[in-house]
Amino acid sequence: KWKVEVGYQSATRYMGTFGKREQAMLVNEVARGMLKMTKDSKLTAGEIERNVTFAKEVAVSQSDAVLECVRVGVAYENAKGGVNKEMNIAEVNINKEKGRTDHSTPLGISELLV
């Protein structure tokens, strides 16, 4: 399992725990992007809580949608005889987007040993 936490308004905010590393990576990227807009703003405790809750909800729903699209795309490629790659397409795309050539775990994601 993979736990996602992001720093926001001088505290670590829990975004969730996910069974797949790819989903954790997507949630991390989306939540960080959303919260970045107001990270240095003066906010009340209620505003902070609303922002964190909204970022978490959007990040999780977007990651679910992206992973479903990837699953369907991989199934389609395999059905037409495409190459079955070992690395998940979502992980490769995230790494390319961020200019990473390695496949290390981004900040904010930690593997939970169960």
Side-chain angles (χ1 to χ4, degrees), residues 4 6 15-16 18 22-33 55-56 59-61 63-64 94 109:
V4 177
V6 297
M15 293 290 125
F18 305 92
E22 294 81 6
Q23 184 172 22
M25 291 171 67
L26 289 165
V27 168
N28 182 55
E29 294 295 328
V30 172
R32 288 168 59 99
K56 180 179 177 179
V60 170
S61 67
S63 70
D64 288 341
I94 290 170
I109 300 175

Side-chain angles (χ1 to χ4, degrees), residues 65-82:
V66 167
L67 289 176
E68 179 61 16
C69 289
V70 168
R71 186 193 67 73
V72 169
V74 168
Y76 174 76
E77 286 299 317
N78 286 339
K80 43 176 232 188

Side-chain angles (χ1 to χ4, degrees), residues 60-110:
V60 170
S61 67
Q62 283 190 358
S63 70
D64 288 341
V66 167
L67 289 176
E68 179 61 16
C69 289
V70 168
R71 186 193 67 73
V72 169
V74 168
Y76 174 76
E77 286 299 317
N78 286 339
K80 43 176 232 188
V83 177
N84 187 1
K85 298 179 182 174
E86 288 184 22
M87 181 172 284
N88 190 298
I89 292 170
E91 182 177 351
V92 173
N93 288 340
I94 290 170
N95 285 328
K96 282 182 186 173
E97 232 176 74
K98 294 297 175 185
R100 296 184 189 113
T101 54
D102 66 325
H103 303 290
S104 58
T105 304
L107 295 176
I109 300 175
S110 55

Side-chain angles (χ1 to χ4, degrees), residues 1-6 12-21 24-25 27-28 105-113:
K1 293 187 177 195
W2 297 86
K3 179 173 75 170
V4 177
E5 296 177 321
V6 297
T12 301
R13 311 297 174 164
Y14 176 74
M15 293 290 125
T17 301
F18 305 92
K20 294 183 179 183
R21 180 174 181 245
M25 291 171 67
V27 168
N28 182 55
T105 304
L107 295 176
I109 300 175
S110 55
E111 186 172 16
L112 299 176
L113 303 175

